Amino acid sequence: MDKGFEDAKSVIEAIKAKGITAVGASGYCWGAKVVTELAKHGHIDAAVLCHPSFVTVDDIKAVKAPIAILGAEIDKMSPPELVKQFEEVLKSKPEVESFVKIFPGVAHGWTVRYNVEDEAAVKSAEEAHADTLEWFSKFIK
């Protein structure tokens, strides 16, 4: 995770050096931990976590950037109970805009690993992708 964070930081610094003024990052599974670190240290302007892994309540307490968390109903890495704890922490931080949603009937990885023949799976993934784009369009200008 530390290498991912350092690599991402380097990329963001290079992008900003080119004149980009707002950067958002989306992390899936363990990538959510990297994005959370970026959001804690002021490197990004908005974050989206999809079926996060290894993210702790203390991590969420330290987030400074607007953050959306999209969780799965069936997820051992970040069960709904943990995602709800994230939501409670974020509600106590009015200075950080947040959006938390738990998708019913889906399992860890549903936004990127789904059966394209399964209409419900496709619909859930597309909804998560739309939520992600909507979140970024709100904060990355």
Side-chain angles (χ1 to χ4, degrees), residues 20-41:
I20 301 298
T21 57
V23 176
S26 182
Y28 301 79
C29 189
W30 67 266
K33 177 71 169 185
V34 173
V35 170
T36 303
E37 290 300 314
L38 294 168
K40 286 165 52 174
H41 298 287

Side-chain angles (χ1 to χ4, degrees), residues 14-126:
I15 290 170
K16 288 183 175 180
K18 298 273 186 199
I20 301 298
T21 57
V23 176
S26 182
Y28 301 79
C29 189
W30 67 266
K33 177 71 169 185
V34 173
V35 170
T36 303
E37 290 300 314
L38 294 168
K40 286 165 52 174
H41 298 287
H43 296 292
I44 57 175
D45 301 286
V48 177
L49 312 182
C50 294
H51 38 87
S53 294
F54 311 112
V55 177
T56 67
V57 169
D58 285 340
D59 288 330
I60 298 300
K61 287 178 181 176
V63 165
K64 297 176 184 167
I67 186 168
I69 303 172
L70 308 179
E73 180 184 23
I74 307 157
D75 193 338
K76 290 182 175 135
M77 297 302 291
S78 285
E81 299 77 29
L82 180 59
V83 174
K84 287 176 184 164
Q85 286 180 322
F86 295 163
E87 183 175 36
E88 289 305 312
V89 167
L90 291 166
K91 282 181 182 176
S92 74
K93 294 177 60 137
E95 71 280 9
V96 175
E97 287 197 54
S98 63
F99 173 74
V100 177
K101 185 174 184 178
I102 297 170
F103 285 72
V106 298
H108 182 86
W110 94 97
T111 64
V112 291
R113 293 185 323 225
Y114 56 91
N115 178 353
V116 296
E117 306 289 321
D118 181 340
E119 195 174 313
V122 170
K123 186 176 184 283
S124 290
E126 287 177 347

